[in-house]
Amino acid sequence: MTAALTLPANLSLVEISAAASAPWRDLFAAPTQAHVPYRAGTLSERNLLGARLDSAVTTAQGAVLLVAEGAGCFATAWWARLSPASYVSRVAGALFFDPIEEQGESVESLLDTFASPRTRLPFPSIVLGRDDGRSLLASRVAALADGWGSGVIAGSRSDAAGPLRRTRGIIARFTAGVVAREVRTGRALVGRMRAV
């Protein structure tokens, strides 16, 4: 087992999922700052989910890394496309794990439930799915990722940890990029303050 990733101190982890436990949680050394439970069976549940996501993102300390699973991926994309720019600007990026589940809701149903403008998400994102050789599943995951403006990492169904291993390096580079961005922002502010 590879050591868990330590997120930068200024990066908060917010998860959106129905599951009480998931294998990807072992990927991170730090605990999740906020868990937004996925419930969207009714309009009021969907709206409550959006409000909880608003709250989790706006109260987070520093930048936010969203981690969504299953139908929570659709909810996260819906939220990102429809939320105020001031909320969404706090999100440094997102990881979407298995957006299409074999036993879950149909893609068409989820797209109807979470109808939103067909625009790329306003932050970088990665879709992690399983490619078990069924071209229909692989092409649907690729189409979702394309619509969201996300990169795709797929792994074998028999090796569920495969995408996690490949993603470890990407996440490490991503979080290093967040730290570098914060440093550049800080330097720019100091430069402006000195100029005044």
Side-chain angles (χ1 to χ4, degrees):
M1 182 74 155
T2 310
L5 289 169
T6 301
L7 296 176
N10 63 337
L11 189 64
S12 298
L13 187 65
V14 173
E15 73 175 48
I16 305 91
S17 73
S21 64
W24 53 262
R25 288 196 181 116
D26 295 338
L27 191 61
F28 304 104
T32 299
Q33 177 177 336
H35 173 83
V36 177
Y38 174 80
R39 285 186 205 92
T42 65
L43 180 62
S44 61
E45 284 180 338
R46 185 194 68 184
N47 291 338
L48 181 59
L49 186 152
R52 286 180 173 159
L53 194 45
D54 283 347
S55 177
V57 170
T58 58
T59 61
Q61 301 297 315
V64 172
L65 174 62
L66 297 172
V67 181
E69 181 178 31
C73 301
F74 290 83
T76 303
W78 164 78
W79 173 85
R81 289 170 166 166
L82 297 176
S83 290
S86 61
Y87 292 12
V88 177
S89 67
R90 297 181 55 97
V91 177
L95 299 174
F96 296 123
F97 286 86
D98 290 326
I100 301 175
E101 300 173 291
E102 287 186 50
Q103 305 302 320
E105 296 176 66
S106 73
V107 172
E108 292 75 18
S109 172
L110 288 166
L111 289 172
D112 286 344
T113 299
F114 297 107
S116 60
R118 299 284 185 232
T119 58
R120 296 168 67 91
L121 300 182
F123 43 74
S125 58
I126 300 170
V127 174
L128 295 104
R130 295 189 184 115
D131 180 6
D132 59 3
R134 294 180 306 151
S135 61
L136 179 59
L137 177 62
S139 65
R140 296 193 92 176
V141 168
L144 276 176
D146 185 56
W148 292 337
S150 304
V152 179
I153 299 175
S156 162
R157 191 102 178 118
S158 62
D159 181 16
L164 296 180
R165 280 195 296 270
R166 286 192 299 263
T167 306
R168 186 174 301 278
I170 292 169
I171 295 170
R173 288 191 303 275
F174 171 78
T175 56
V178 170
V179 171
R181 183 182 74 178
E182 295 293 323
V183 168
R184 285 192 306 272
T185 302
R187 286 182 179 157
L189 289 173
V190 168
R192 287 182 188 157
M193 290 172 53
R194 287 183 179 160
V196 172

